[in-house]
Amino acid sequence: QVQLVESGGGLVQPGGSLRLSCAASGASGSTLDYYAIGWFRQAPGKEREAVSCITRSDGTTYYADSAKGRFTISRDNAKNTVYLQMDSLTPEDTAAYYCAADGYGSAWSLCRRGVADYWGQGTQVTVSS
């Protein structure tokens, strides 16, 4: 069993920045070595959509078109933590952001399929003046 704990959400003005964190626990390091970790978001009345994903082992990344050039995903394997640096935020980025972990896939697969073994509880990001 893997637990994913998200943090870093909050209220920010348009043009501002936030850094989300996803910390994984509950499994051995070797179990997590080949996981893909991703960030998804869901706004009220809209379907969940992928934002960005990363392969833990080699750092390969995938970005949704809406995230390219503004968001950066990274990992700290020693801390079993994945980060999402979000810059140039707009009101359209307002959503609940969820961390997900896939034990068998790649970053591309996780973000394109949207199927994961574990999900975090979500952290709210609100972009408003």
Side-chain angles (χ1 to χ4, degrees):
Q1 181 69 35
V2 174
Q3 292 82 45
L4 303 176
V5 180
E6 300 147 325
S7 62
L11 175 65
V12 65
Q13 293 185 334
S17 299
L18 286 172
R19 189 179 74 160
L20 306 183
S21 298
C22 173
S25 63
S28 66
S30 60
T31 300
L32 297 173
D33 281 350
Y34 303 102
Y35 271 58
I37 309 294
W39 288 97
F40 296 76
R41 68 186 183 186
Q42 187 168 25
K46 296 184 178 180
E47 292 188 14
R48 185 184 66 201
E49 64 176 354
V51 179
S52 183
C53 298
I54 187 168
T55 305
R56 186 179 185 275
S57 59
D58 64 8
T60 301
T61 59
Y62 177 94
Y63 292 95
D65 288 342
S66 61
K68 291 179 180 177
R70 299 190 301 126
F71 295 179
T72 303
I73 192 169
S74 62
R75 77 206 196 283
D76 185 340
N77 288 350
K79 297 181 179 179
N80 288 325
T81 300
V82 171
Y83 305 96
L84 183 67
Q85 178 68 41
M86 304 188 295
D87 299 321
S88 301
L89 287 164
T90 74
E92 288 69 40
D93 295 313
T94 296
Y97 284 70
Y98 298 89
C99 179
D102 178 9
Y104 298 97
S106 64
W108 184 93
S109 177
L110 175 57
C111 266
R112 293 300 298 268
R113 295 177 65 240
V115 177
D117 296 319
Y118 304 98
W119 292 87
Q121 79 286 351
T123 185
Q124 179 67 36
V125 171
T126 301
V127 184
S128 176
S129 59

